[in-house]
Amino acid sequence: MSGPAESTTAPLTTDERAELERLRSEVDALRARKPRGPVPWRGIGAGLLGVLGCLLVLVSLVTVWVHNQVANTDRFVATMSPLIREQSVRTAITDRLTDTVFTHVDVEALATRAVDALAQQGVPDQAVAPLRALTGPLESSVRGFVHDRIGDVVASPGAAELWDRVIRAGHARMHAVLSGEASNVVVSGGEVRLDLAPLVTEVKRQLVASGFTVAGRIPDVHPTIAVTEASTLERAQTTYTLLDRLATWLPWITVLVLAAAVYLARDRRRALVQTGIGIAVAMLVLAGALLVIRGVLVGSVPERSVAAAGDSYDTVVRFLRGGLRTLFAVGVVFALGAFLTGPSPIAVKLRQGLSGLIGWLRRGGARAGLRTGRVGPWVHTYRAALRGAAVGIAVLVFVLLNRPSGLTVLVIALVLVFCLGVIQFLDQPAAKQG
């Protein structure tokens, strides 16, 4: 009964036989290893180093962000420049500048003095009394006119250049605060504030040009606007200096710690999977921390400043969020790559399915007259080196890109998978060549 059943079994394909030989080789290698005594410290050390490495990934990302976004003026300007396009921020700046104008220009007092002058010139009381009643509404109307005109100035294209000058000067002072050189200049009342003097000058010019000539009486003042809550910055000057110094070499220490964790692990493939998952989890923790900080920040400002504070915070940390998304994608791709190349039943079935698909494509190409010629045997001979080169190029592309995104990581991973599939498609032993 067994003979006929065996005769109907389909023969193994070339790819299936190659997979079987690979598994047999792994089994033989495992059996050939000399038995070793238990070395518990290796597993404990690998685990501790893995956890430490994943935490260092989080810390490294924050330190690099601090260095690039806070210590570098050009990067800081690039970060803060989009704020002027947020309507909530424009409204806050317009309100602050309007208050500055009417701090130095008392429209109601000016109108009252004008009415008094008319009365002194002999104008009848029945004409003067209605004018006195109009001084309050006049002040309100003028304030509305000035507020609208300032809003137009703040929303104009030219305001962006002025805004960049404001934040460039503000960054220099904030850096002085963080480094401990000028603790009273930018931080006031627990807030980081920007000097709006350049915008005041432009507003004065525009108001005078619009006919509101009394605006020319406004002296050279330096009103400020709160950008974000800064109590944590006031308490973190020492930490800032340390993180700024660590930004250069801490990422490399992190890579070495993770590499040591994988090297010490008894099952290095599983350690690679766990490392990738750990990096992804660390990024999720950082994302949650940023949300909590945002909630605390928004809840600590006055009601009218909530929108501006939220938009300012989102703008400031957007590069940090972009970095954590990138590292999250790296961790996921890393873990999936290590898992899918492992011996688990799911991974083996997926590889067999892919091998079957590539074999079907290869046979279809052969029926259509496509031949690899000398390329097939050459690829078969150097297939390990070609695969390693493909992985190395993918890593190099990722490293050389300027601020790659999470989507970029996924695209690189998909291109790498395609290249590996092409290598396997071209991989044909010499004996199979026609």
Side-chain angles (χ1 to χ4, degrees):
M1 295 298 291
S2 60
E6 292 178 355
S7 63
T8 59
T9 303
L12 295 177
T13 64
T14 303
D15 295 325
E16 291 173 341
R17 186 171 297 280
E19 180 72 14
L20 178 61
E21 292 299 328
R22 188 188 67 79
L23 293 174
R24 285 177 176 174
S25 298
E26 289 185 1
V27 172
D28 292 340
L30 290 173
R31 289 176 176 174
R33 289 182 182 176
K34 294 182 179 180
R36 293 179 295 181
V39 190
W41 64 266
R42 289 190 60 179
I44 296 175
L48 292 177
L49 286 176
V51 173
L52 176 62
C54 293
L55 292 176
L56 286 179
V57 170
L58 189 154
V59 176
S60 297
L61 177 60
V62 174
T63 55
V64 170
W65 174 76
V66 169
H67 181 268
N68 290 339
Q69 303 302 327
V70 180
N72 186 295
T73 299
D74 291 335
R75 184 66 64 83
F76 183 81
V77 172
T79 300
M80 300 292 290
S81 184
L83 271 177
I84 197 64
R85 299 178 181 88
E86 296 292 342
Q87 185 57 46
S88 60
V89 176
R90 287 178 177 177
T91 301
I93 294 174
T94 300
D95 292 343
R96 184 68 182 90
L97 292 176
T98 301
D99 292 340
T100 300
V101 169
F102 285 94
T103 297
H104 300 280
V105 178
D106 190 341
V107 175
E108 187 171 2
L110 290 174
T112 300
R113 284 199 296 270
V115 173
D116 291 342
L118 291 175
Q120 292 174 2
Q121 295 297 324
V123 176
D125 289 340
Q126 58 267 31
V128 172
L131 291 177
R132 291 186 186 280
L134 290 175
T135 55
L138 177 63
E139 192 274 342
S140 178
S141 298
V142 173
R143 187 180 185 90
F145 165 78
V146 172
H147 185 277
D148 293 342
R149 194 71 188 97
I150 292 176
D152 294 338
V153 173
V154 173
S156 66
E161 181 179 352
L162 291 173
W163 177 252
D164 287 347
R165 287 166 50 192
V166 168
I167 59 179
R168 185 173 292 277
H171 174 267
R173 294 174 181 174
M174 185 173 69
H175 180 70
V177 171
L178 291 172
S179 60
E181 299 173 359
S183 59
N184 298 327
V185 177
V186 172
V187 175
S188 176
E191 295 176 325
V192 176
R193 310 187 71 86
L194 292 179
D195 187 355
L196 300 177
L199 286 174
V200 172
T201 302
E202 178 64 16
V203 165
K204 286 168 57 179
R205 188 183 69 81
Q206 293 283 349
L207 289 176
V208 171
S210 300
F212 190 65
T213 56
V214 293
R217 300 183 182 182
I218 300 174
D220 291 333
V221 293
H222 294 266
T224 60
I225 184 173
V227 175
T228 185
E229 191 269 339
S231 60
T232 55
L233 298 181
E234 293 177 319
R235 298 192 299 266
Q237 292 177 351
T238 302
T239 304
Y240 165 80
T241 302
L242 176 62
L243 294 179
D244 186 51
R245 294 173 180 174
L246 289 177
T248 302
W249 46 270
L250 185 58
W252 299 107
I253 292 179
T254 302
V255 172
L256 291 177
V257 170
L258 291 174
V262 174
Y263 177 78
L264 287 177
R266 300 182 69 86
D267 190 340
R268 291 172 181 167
R269 194 185 302 275
R270 177 177 295 179
L272 287 172
V273 175
Q274 293 172 345
T275 298
I277 295 175
I279 292 174
V281 170
M283 294 303 99
L284 290 177
V285 171
L286 178 58
L290 291 178
L291 288 176
V292 171
I293 294 173
R294 189 186 191 280
V296 172
L297 168 65
V298 171
S300 65
V301 299
E303 183 69 24
R304 69 173 186 173
S305 302
V306 167
D311 291 338
S312 299
Y313 177 82
D314 292 337
T315 300
V316 170
V317 302
R318 75 181 190 278
F319 286 126
L320 180 58
R321 284 174 172 163
L324 74 85
R325 293 190 190 104
T326 299
L327 287 179
F328 176 81
V330 168
V332 171
V333 169
F334 207 78
L336 281 176
F339 173 77
L340 294 177
T341 57
S344 69
I346 296 177
V348 171
K349 289 181 179 180
L350 288 174
R351 290 200 302 271
Q352 287 177 346
L354 181 60
S355 297
L357 175 61
I358 292 176
W360 176 79
L361 293 174
R362 185 189 295 138
R363 290 189 296 271
R367 287 193 297 267
L370 297 177
R371 298 290 186 272
T372 60
R374 296 180 180 180
V375 175
W378 183 85
V379 171
H380 180 75
T381 302
Y382 299 103
R383 62 187 182 279
L386 291 172
R387 290 167 182 163
V391 174
I393 291 174
V395 173
L396 185 63
V397 168
F398 171 77
V399 171
L400 294 180
L401 285 176
N402 184 25
R403 294 200 299 269
S405 64
L407 179 60
T408 303
V409 173
L410 295 178
V411 170
I412 292 175
L414 292 175
V415 172
L416 174 60
V417 170
F418 175 78
C419 292
L420 293 177
V422 171
I423 292 173
Q424 185 170 347
F425 177 82
L426 297 175
D427 177 12
Q428 297 189 48
K432 296 295 182 180
Q433 299 302 301

